[in-house]
Amino acid sequence: MAVIDRTDAPFDLDVDDLFGQYRTMFLIRRFEEAAERQYKAARIGGYCHLSSGQEAATVGTVAALEPDDLLVTGYRCHGFALARGVSPEAVMAELFGRRDGCAHGRGGSMHLLDVSRGYYGGWGIVGGQLPIATGMALSLVRRGAPQAVLCELGDGAVNMGAWHESLNLAAVWNLPVVFLVINNQYGMGTSVERASAEPDLFKRAAAYRMTGERVDGDDLEAVMESASRLLSAAREERKPAVLEAITYRHRGHSVADAGLAYRTREEIDQRKLADPLERTRALLLERGVEEERVLAADAAAEAAVERAIAFAEDDPAPDVDRLAAGMYAPGSAGQFERMAPGSPLGERELVFSGGLGE
């Protein structure tokens, strides 16, 4: 069983590839900033969890996926959807709860998905995505499919029962799944050191005789190398693994959290010195990319975000009578036979009464 603690970047990306990944990172940063503004303007309902500061870990791991690989994540998922190629319009419309959102307005911020791109969703229950990803990997094995599953989770999910159960089955059955732990230092407002008896989270893979690695999650090239190698081993050798990416979220746990009750402003400012966006930008300039080209890419991303907001504002709300569509499989027996798209009680239409919705 190999345990590697690696933080160096063992290879250099092609400049054009590096530039493409930077553009995605910048798009995610500006999208998250816009999402916060729209949430505070009451255009986004429910919860909203931002990933500003985690762009290299997000983009680097998704870039390591093959087109037919499968991706499952937790609820801090805007960046993963964008990195997987879901359009900013479809993501923003979903945050707005609109018809043409990537989950047709039914999921919202915590439940983005696009099955056509192999993205099987953000999952709102902490650790809830782990058994799903493990089952998907088992399905690949049973069908003899040469694919892998990337399952993202936060550091706060590693003490859940689903974590242990899923890793155990993945190891026992030799499943092609890589568990990506985005360690942004805090599970909600509790630091890893206070919550975990073993704060080096990648070492937990040893309990299941599984490969475990730690990588500097703010180093795009290091993340891509580690993720590519572990995903290749999953596809070709059916070897599951744990990859811990050390990073830092610049914002609070959610938009409703200022993030200052459990950490100091000095700590945040110090950690922002390792901003993955600035590190990647500096790398581009160092490798000869003209600053004008970088600035043009930045402007294009900002324009894309503004178009996404305009699209979401104009997109209609989903039809109410389709609210429950897709909740039950066709032909479900017993009590589900009476289910209709309108409601779980068999009505053909779902309407609001008493002034609701008017």
Side-chain angles (χ1 to χ4, degrees), residues 193-272:
E193 287 73 17
R194 293 186 63 187
S196 296
E198 175 48 86
D200 293 336
L201 304 181
F202 75 100
K203 293 180 180 179
R204 298 189 181 203
Y208 306 97
R209 298 186 178 181
M210 187 186 298
T211 296
E213 295 191 16
R214 170 183 280 174
V215 67
D216 179 356
D218 295 333
D219 185 328
L220 177 66
E221 291 180 316
V223 171
M224 287 185 66
E225 191 281 333
S226 292
S228 296
R229 178 165 34 77
L230 294 178
L231 285 165
S232 293
R235 291 187 210 99
E236 299 165 11
E237 305 173 54
R238 300 302 190 200
K239 286 186 176 181
V242 172
L243 177 60
E244 179 188 7
I246 304 295
T247 183
Y248 195 81
R249 55 173 165 81
H250 294 174
R251 311 299 295 170
H253 172 70
S254 70
V255 176
D257 169 28
L260 295 173
Y262 48 87
R263 56 186 188 174
T264 64
R265 175 63 67 184
E266 290 73 23
E267 176 188 313
I268 298 171
D269 291 342
Q270 180 64 32
R271 289 305 304 262
K272 282 186 176 181

Side-chain angles (χ1 to χ4, degrees), residues 88-100:
E89 289 85 353
V91 178
M92 189 65 76
E94 188 58 40
L95 268 59
F96 277 52
R98 302 302 173 89
R99 183 190 64 192
D100 294 306

Side-chain angles (χ1 to χ4, degrees), residues 7 9 21 45 47 53 67 74 86 102 144 147 152 193 205 212 238 241 252 267 276-277 293 323 332:
T7 56
Q21 306 308 334
Y47 295 98
V86 185
C102 57
Q147 296 153 258
E152 182 270 344
E193 287 73 17
R238 300 302 190 200
E267 176 188 313
L277 203 61
R293 186 182 177 196
L323 184 63
S332 297

Side-chain angles (χ1 to χ4, degrees), residues 93-127:
E94 188 58 40
L95 268 59
F96 277 52
R98 302 302 173 89
R99 183 190 64 192
D100 294 306
C102 57
H104 306 294
R106 299 191 185 98
S109 170
M110 300 172 73
H111 305 98
L112 304 175
L113 81 159
D114 189 337
V115 173
S116 70
R117 298 180 182 276
Y119 181 36
Y120 285 82
W123 290 75
I125 301 299
V126 175

Side-chain angles (χ1 to χ4, degrees), residues 67-72 84 114-121 136:
D68 59 351
D69 284 337
L70 309 179
L71 173 65
V72 187
R84 193 57 170 159
D114 189 337
V115 173
S116 70
R117 298 180 182 276
Y119 181 36
Y120 285 82
M136 291 167 65

